[in-house]
Amino acid sequence: MTLIDTNILLDMVTEDPIWSDWSIRQLDMASLKGPLLINDVIYAEMSVRFERIESLDQMLEKAGITLTAIPPPALFLASKVFQRYRAAGGIRSGVMPDFFIGAHASIVGIPLLTRDTKRYRTYFPAIDLIDP
C-alpha cells in the first residue's frame, strides 16, 4: 500500500511539464507494490480541480486509487504534531492538511509518495517517503 499525496495527483491531471512524467512513473511503480490510497483530506484537496464529483471519482478509478478514511489515532497524532509545530513558531496557513496526511501514513505504517518532503521529514521522520 502507498498513500499518494495531492501534489502527485495534480502533476498527473494538470500534465505538469516538469513533474508529470516522474509522478506517473512513481505511481506505476507504487502500484506494483500494492494498492494506491488517498484519504479524505487528499480527496478534498483534489476536488478543487474538478467541476463534478463524478469526474474526480472516475479519474481515481481509472488510476486505480482507493479512498480510505484517516484512522482516529492519526487524527489525534496530527493535532499533537501541529501543536508542536505551532509552539516552535511555525506559520499557520495551509499546513494542517500535511499533518493529517503525514500522521495517516505514520500510524498505518505505509509509504507516502510526495514531492513535498521537508515538513514530512521534520515531523514524521519514521515515514518511508517516496520522493524525487
Side-chain angles (χ1 to χ4, degrees):
M1 287 188 285
T2 303
L3 189 62
I4 310 302
D5 199 3
T6 310
N7 55 42
I8 302 299
L9 298 176
L10 287 175
D11 292 345
M12 183 177 67
V13 300
T14 64
E15 298 178 358
D16 183 276
I18 296 170
W19 290 105
S20 180
D21 289 341
W22 181 87
S23 292
I24 291 169
R25 276 194 313 275
Q26 296 304 314
L27 281 168
D28 287 344
M29 288 190 296
S31 73
L32 297 175
K33 297 175 185 174
L36 303 176
L37 307 175
I38 64 169
N39 62 32
D40 318 70
V41 172
I42 298 163
Y43 188 93
E45 288 180 326
M46 283 303 296
S47 295
V48 173
R49 290 288 179 168
F50 292 84
E51 292 295 320
R52 302 179 65 232
I53 191 171
E54 294 84 3
S55 299
L56 173 56
D57 290 345
Q58 182 180 24
M59 183 278 296
L60 293 172
E61 183 178 343
K62 184 177 177 183
I65 298 170
T66 302
L67 175 63
T68 186
I70 301 172
L75 297 171
F76 187 84
L77 176 61
S79 72
K80 295 304 175 191
V81 173
F82 181 72
Q83 188 177 37
R84 193 173 75 224
Y85 167 80
R86 288 294 298 139
I91 61 169
R92 287 182 190 241
S93 64
V95 298
M96 195 63 191
D98 288 347
F99 288 108
F100 286 123
I101 295 164
H104 187 172
S106 182
I107 289 293
V108 177
I110 59 176
L112 174 63
L113 174 57
T114 186
R115 286 192 290 99
D116 183 21
T117 60
K118 186 177 180 183
R119 192 173 299 118
Y120 294 121
R121 285 198 198 290
T122 301
Y123 290 95
F124 302 97
I127 294 177
D128 179 16
L129 292 172
I130 303 167
D131 62 357

